[in-house]
Amino acid sequence: MTHSSVKILVVDDEPPIRKLLRVGLTAEGYAIVEATNARDAMEKVESGQPDLILLDLGLPDLQGHELLAKWRNELLDLPIIILSSRTDEPGIVRALELGADDYVTKPFGTKELVARIRVALRHKLQEQGERPIFQTGDLSVDLVKRIVRMAEKEVKLSPKEYDILRVLVQHAGKVITHQHLLNHVWAGSTDVQYLRVYVRQLRQKIEPSPNEPQYITTETGVGYRLREAE
């Protein structure tokens, strides 16, 4: 998939937002297709599947969550990034649990959005096989030998700390919700506060400055994001 061939479907009923996205993303070399409502979006997907979808949650004919769930239930296997207001944390969490790859809050900057698009597209290309060695900055994780290093020095993690890190590595660059981590590490049998304790311990071991994390960042009210691979 070359950059110039990437087609993005923008699903948003607000003309100013669509114009902003059309102008900004076209300037970055993306091909833009627009839909003003859910029905239009479904027809656009059926007529020619895009490489990525930007989906507003507030559509006039069908809520974005319902459209997202419909697409994922139909096994539509392509990156979907949610466009959302900053205060809609429950809506963001629900969208991520339904299968969204990421979210960008309104108002947003074009550079941030383009960065999120690149991560989502790159992650899609890497899904076929998990890389044995993950590297970002001084942090490296050997997923085969289960060895974690910071600046070439091995870091000893507890089993739960490693399990949390592994899930984050598998989705590096994407926000992972609290519930997703709880389901995959504890089978959903504990609470968010317990997860926060383990993330704090993990940061103490891999972050140069745990109070100002640069690897595992917090998405307030939603979950965590691990810095993408380099």
Side-chain angles (χ1 to χ4, degrees):
M1 183 188 299
T2 61
H3 180 76
S4 60
S5 70
V6 173
K7 180 168 68 175
I8 296 176
L9 173 61
V10 174
V11 187
D12 198 302
D13 65 331
E14 298 181 58
I17 296 294
R18 292 202 308 277
K19 181 179 179 180
L20 173 66
L21 292 168
R22 181 173 65 251
V23 172
L25 296 179
T26 299
E28 292 289 333
Y30 295 104
I32 305 303
V33 179
E34 299 177 30
T36 60
N37 55 50
R39 181 177 178 180
D40 190 16
M42 288 185 283
E43 290 176 352
K44 292 285 172 57
V45 168
E46 290 174 2
S47 63
Q49 192 172 113
D51 298 297
L52 181 142
I53 297 174
L54 295 177
L55 176 62
D56 179 34
L57 291 179
L59 299 175
D61 56 342
L62 185 70
Q63 284 298 306
H65 291 106
E66 296 177 56
L67 180 56
L68 173 61
K70 176 179 172 59
W71 274 334
R72 291 312 192 207
N73 287 337
E74 294 173 351
L75 302 181
L76 183 65
D77 187 23
L78 55 83
I80 299 177
I81 297 178
I82 298 300
L83 303 178
S84 176
S85 65
R86 290 185 182 278
T87 57
D88 189 24
E89 289 176 1
I92 291 170
V93 172
R94 184 182 172 204
L96 291 167
E97 294 296 343
L98 286 172
D101 290 77
D102 205 344
Y103 73 94
V104 177
T105 54
K106 297 179 180 180
F108 52 81
T110 300
K111 288 184 178 179
E112 177 193 3
L113 179 59
V114 169
R116 300 287 182 87
I117 288 172
R118 287 172 178 164
V119 169
L121 290 170
R122 186 158 54 245
H123 189 269
K124 175 61 181 173
L125 292 174
Q126 294 170 349
E127 278 183 346
Q128 300 304 317
E130 190 176 280
R131 290 175 297 174
I133 303 292
F134 172 85
Q135 180 80 45
T136 180
D138 288 332
L139 173 65
S140 71
V141 182
D142 186 323
L143 295 165
V144 176
K145 298 180 180 178
R146 297 174 63 95
I147 295 175
V148 178
R149 291 187 174 90
M150 276 299 299
E152 300 303 322
K153 183 177 180 181
E154 187 171 343
V155 178
K156 297 295 185 182
L157 301 181
S158 71
K160 291 298 185 188
E161 290 166 353
Y162 179 82
D163 288 344
I164 292 169
L165 183 58
R166 182 185 177 87
V167 174
L168 293 172
V169 164
Q170 290 171 332
H171 303 279
K174 295 170 56 178
V175 60
I176 303 301
T177 65
H178 297 131
Q179 193 59 51
H180 183 94
L181 285 164
L182 291 173
N183 288 343
H184 283 72
V185 178
W186 286 278
S189 62
T190 189
D191 59 30
V192 173
Q193 195 56 44
Y194 203 55
L195 170 62
R196 291 192 178 111
V197 170
Y198 273 92
V199 171
R200 189 179 308 120
Q201 292 173 180
L202 183 55
R203 282 173 169 160
Q204 291 289 337
K205 295 179 179 181
I206 70 169
E207 295 282 1
S209 179
N211 292 328
E212 298 178 352
Q214 57 180 280
Y215 293 110
I216 302 175
T217 55
T218 298
E219 299 286 334
T220 304
V222 178
Y224 301 98
R225 186 194 302 266
L226 179 67
R227 196 168 83 180
E228 64 177 304
E230 296 173 351

